[in-house]
Amino acid sequence: YVALSYCWGGPQPTITTSGNIGAHTEALPIHLLPKTICDAIEVTRKLGMRFLWVDALCIIQDDDQDKRKQIAMMGSIYKNATFTIAAASAEKVSDGFLSILTENQRDSILHGEPNYHEDDPLFSRGWTLQEMLLSPRLLIFDAYQLVLSCEEIGFEPAVPTGIGFEPLCERLPSSIFGAPKHHEILLKEQPDEEITTTWFSIQRDEVWVSLINEYNGRHLSIFDDRLPALSAIAHELSIFWGGTYVAGFWKEALIKHL
């Protein structure tokens, strides 16, 4: 299946609720879906994939129990997707991301002087950080281009992109992207238990501070989302690092992180 990472940009015109979930299970009202979701459906179909996960449609939005359950599964949803479509250029769900470039944008690219926005809307949202970090492959549709970000192959974008967390991605343990044997390799390379423990401690402290700095520069529409929107990353890192995660901090480095 494919997952979608996008900006809501306000209330959604079409959501799944306890009242319409039966009808949505039978068929979705395609003519009522906003353009970003329609564009994602088009990309999914053209790449030969059958299923697309969209939070507004796959989570029962007026059911608090279902929302809690699905948010707790968010990490595994993005981590286990074949790839994630990142609608980076769309500020709201009605914008879409497959629109044709304007003449000015085309001219700026051809002349090597792109007047691009360093931060496409998606890169400034709190929830999308873990969606992107946990996805093994990303198809990023920014304002100028399609960028493929893959765990195994690196591609240089034609136009500079606003992915400000790329250096952070390189420092995250690969187990967060679905390679659980990575820590075993490290242990074999560093058989001394004291050295290994120190290495993990330093990496955890540095990476977590970098991650929080990136996260704190992003925006959340709902203030109470600040911990849930980070919880999937913390869960994955706890599997690799060990230690105890407590409300945005690691118990073993609590004083330092405070």
Side-chain angles (χ1 to χ4, degrees):
Y1 67 93
V2 179
L4 176 63
S5 179
Y6 67 111
C7 296
W8 277 35
Q12 300 293 282
T14 304
I15 59 175
T16 295
T17 65
S18 53
N20 65 17
I21 185 171
H24 278 195
T25 302
E26 292 295 325
L28 288 170
I30 297 295
H31 63 288
L32 297 178
L33 294 180
K35 194 168 188 320
T36 291
I37 294 178
C38 288
D39 284 353
I41 291 173
E42 182 177 351
V43 172
T44 301
R45 286 176 170 171
K46 287 187 174 180
L47 291 178
M49 299 295 291
R50 185 177 178 188
F51 300 105
L52 172 66
W53 189 91
V54 181
D55 55 2
L57 302 175
C58 296
I59 301 175
I60 306 173
Q61 297 297 322
D62 61 350
D63 186 331
D64 290 340
Q65 183 177 353
D66 189 62
K67 288 174 76 172
R68 285 194 296 269
K69 177 183 176 182
Q70 296 295 328
I71 288 174
M73 295 171 56
M74 200 72 76
S76 63
I77 289 171
Y78 282 93
K79 181 178 177 179
N80 292 311
T82 301
F83 61 87
T84 294
I85 296 170
S89 61
E91 188 172 359
K92 51 187 182 295
V93 73
S94 59
D95 289 346
F97 57 87
L98 293 180
S99 56
I100 300 173
L101 294 177
T102 66
E103 194 64 41
N104 287 338
Q105 287 175 318
R106 267 197 295 270
D107 288 344
S108 64
I109 292 175
L110 291 173
H111 290 89
E113 298 176 355
N115 183 25
Y116 70 98
H117 296 288
E118 184 173 354
D119 295 314
D120 281 302
L122 195 70
F123 304 128
S124 65
R125 303 303 300 168
W127 276 103
T128 60
L129 177 62
Q130 68 177 14
E131 294 169 4
M132 291 189 168
L133 287 180
L134 293 170
S135 299
R137 303 170 195 87
L138 285 168
L139 287 179
I140 304 169
F141 292 82
D142 68 20
Y144 286 91
Q145 64 199 330
L146 168 61
V147 180
L148 172 60
S149 177
C150 174
E151 185 183 343
E152 295 186 2
I153 306 172
F155 294 90
E156 290 294 328
V159 176
T161 182
I163 309 178
F165 52 82
E166 277 188 332
L168 174 63
C169 290
E170 294 172 0
R171 299 168 63 197
L172 285 171
S174 61
S175 68
I176 200 171
F177 300 107
K181 298 297 182 182
H182 181 67
H183 66 285
E184 295 178 9
I185 295 172
L186 286 172
L187 291 175
K188 289 177 182 177
E189 291 176 349
Q190 302 183 64
D192 188 295
E193 184 176 348
E194 183 177 351
I195 294 176
T196 303
T197 303
T198 302
W199 184 87
F200 276 120
S201 177
I202 292 173
Q203 190 205 44
R204 179 183 60 207
D205 292 351
E206 291 181 351
V207 170
W208 190 252
V209 168
S210 297
L211 193 149
I212 292 300
N213 284 337
E214 168 66 32
Y215 183 68
N216 282 344
R218 292 169 173 246
H219 307 292
L220 290 166
S221 299
I222 302 174
F223 184 67
D224 287 345
D225 283 349
R226 64 197 185 282
L227 291 179
L230 193 65
S231 61
I233 296 176
H235 173 73
E236 294 297 326
L237 289 176
S238 69
I239 296 173
F240 183 80
W241 283 336
T244 305
Y245 174 73
V246 185
F249 299 97
W250 294 90
K251 181 179 177 182
E252 293 75 13
L254 185 61
I255 300 300
K256 181 175 182 179
H257 287 168
L258 281 170

